[in-house]
Amino acid sequence: MRSVVIDAPGSVRVDTRPDPGLPGPDGAVIAVTATAICGSDLHIYEGHFPMAEPVAVGHEAIGTVVDVGPEVTSVKAGDRVMVSSVAGCGHCAGCATRDPIRCHTGPLIFGSGALGGAQSELLAVPGADFQLARIPEGLCDEEALLLTDNLATGWAAALRADIPAGGTVAVIGLGAVGLCAAQSALFLGAATVLGIDPVPQRRDRAAAMGATPAPPSATVAAMEHTGGRGVDVVIDAVGSDTTLADALTAVRAGGTVSVVGVHDLQPFPFPALAALVRSITLRMTTAPVQQTWPQLVPLLQSGRLSVAGIFTTEMPLDAAADAYRAVAARSGDVVKVLLTP
């Protein structure tokens, strides 16, 4: 099979690798029909995380089941399915909450070395009854693909932020996750969502979805829009030292900072005294992907939540190197790339 591999920072190629077999009696193999590049894939591409060997990358995939183990009961060969980007064993008390992060044996992420990369023609999926769900009627491929990670993450960021009805929210970083978070915040009751990003076209894209474009500093935007009080909630969809510090100063006393951006391996100099004195709530979240599906699927089916415009580009799998360069440029034209094997 063909699989996208990162050999070293900035080095992407499409490799030929052995077809995967069933990863156990509770596993499945799917033929990937659509996959995508996530902002967190750039941490590997840009060398923020060390690699001992080439890594088959990607953690977002939908496809068709081609084989299942004898213990699998929820899907069968021929079913169109979406794959949770985060995997749990599916059998423990933690997984019973439908949150793979709580898995007692430890969660795993596709495309990080422990599991196969989703940017491939085939993908082996352990714990298929837990990791897979049939794609419901009425959902397009783009919606299903966003449910595997980005929409679930943006939704979790907003849900965990305790947004007050009629409140003001600043979203830092208007990539796919940030745009999903902005949409989710509006749906969950925010009156105003300030879209924070250094790229004007991304701010315009957020504005088309109902957000208010704002200066690229969350602190400046928050103080301008609240008369110096600070916003009720900041959602940080970047997770760098700069954006975390910005979030903590932009939020009002007693407010909440909800972080879903992926930080690097270096420690962040957390301003603990200022956060304590100002009674700031800090929440950092990896999305409970499977837990979000019963909420998000009906909202997408009904049209009450829309993700139109988040995918900006479609390319074949063989053009993965060009696709990574386009995403890494962080331009206004390319926000989210769909790859088709």
Side-chain angles (χ1 to χ4, degrees), residues 37-124:
I37 298 174
C38 180
S40 58
D41 291 328
L42 295 182
H43 282 284
I44 300 174
Y45 176 72
E46 295 174 339
H48 301 159
F49 299 152
M51 294 185 300
E53 58 186 23
V55 176
V57 289
H59 52 264
E60 303 174 350
I62 62 173
T64 302
V65 177
V66 295
D67 196 11
V68 297
E71 295 178 6
V72 177
T73 61
S74 63
V75 297
K76 62 184 185 305
D79 285 345
R80 293 181 64 247
V81 294
M82 50 192 182
V83 188
S84 169
S85 57
V86 185
C89 72
H91 306 294
C92 68
C95 289
T97 67
R98 304 300 292 166
D99 182 356
I101 294 301
R102 301 187 188 187
C103 179
H104 291 183
T105 60
L108 298 173
I109 299 175
F110 288 95
S112 61
L115 297 175
Q119 293 165 16
S120 303
E121 291 182 296
L122 296 169
L123 183 64

Side-chain angles (χ1 to χ4, degrees), residues 14-34:
V14 179
D15 194 14
T16 299
R17 295 197 161 194
D19 291 354
L22 285 172
D26 66 346
V29 175
I30 72 162
V32 177
T33 55

Side-chain angles (χ1 to χ4, degrees), residues 160-162 232-234 251-252 254-258 280-283:
R160 297 254 296 158
D162 295 333
D232 299 297
V233 169
V234 180
V251 74
R252 65 166 170 79
T256 299
V257 173
S258 178
I280 302 303
T281 297
L282 174 64
R283 288 189 171 136

Side-chain angles (χ1 to χ4, degrees), residues 148-301:
T148 69
D149 181 6
N150 289 173
L151 180 55
T153 300
W155 177 259
L159 203 62
R160 297 254 296 158
D162 295 333
I163 298 168
T168 301
V169 176
V171 176
I172 303 177
L174 300 174
V177 170
L179 291 172
C180 288
Q183 291 269 61
S184 299
L186 288 166
F187 180 86
L188 291 169
T192 303
V193 171
L194 305 178
I196 314 296
D197 196 286
V199 181
Q201 298 97 316
R202 293 194 174 204
R203 298 198 297 269
D204 292 343
R205 192 177 297 276
M209 297 177 176
T212 301
S217 162
T219 300
V220 170
M223 299 312 161
E224 286 182 353
H225 283 265
T226 63
R229 182 180 70 103
V231 294
D232 299 297
V233 169
V234 180
I235 296 173
D236 183 358
V238 178
S240 68
D241 281 7
T242 300
T243 59
L244 287 167
D246 197 16
L248 288 163
T249 55
V251 74
R252 65 166 170 79
T256 299
V257 173
S258 178
V259 181
V260 286
V262 179
H263 197 267
D264 60 26
L265 296 178
Q266 301 303 312
F268 169 64
F270 182 69
L273 179 58
L276 173 74
V277 170
R278 299 179 65 234
S279 297
I280 302 303
T281 297
L282 174 64
R283 288 189 171 136
M284 309 187 79
T285 305
T286 298
V289 178
Q290 293 91 321
Q291 201 177 86
T292 69
W293 288 342
Q295 301 165 329
L296 291 173
V297 167
L299 292 176
L300 290 171
Q301 288 174 318

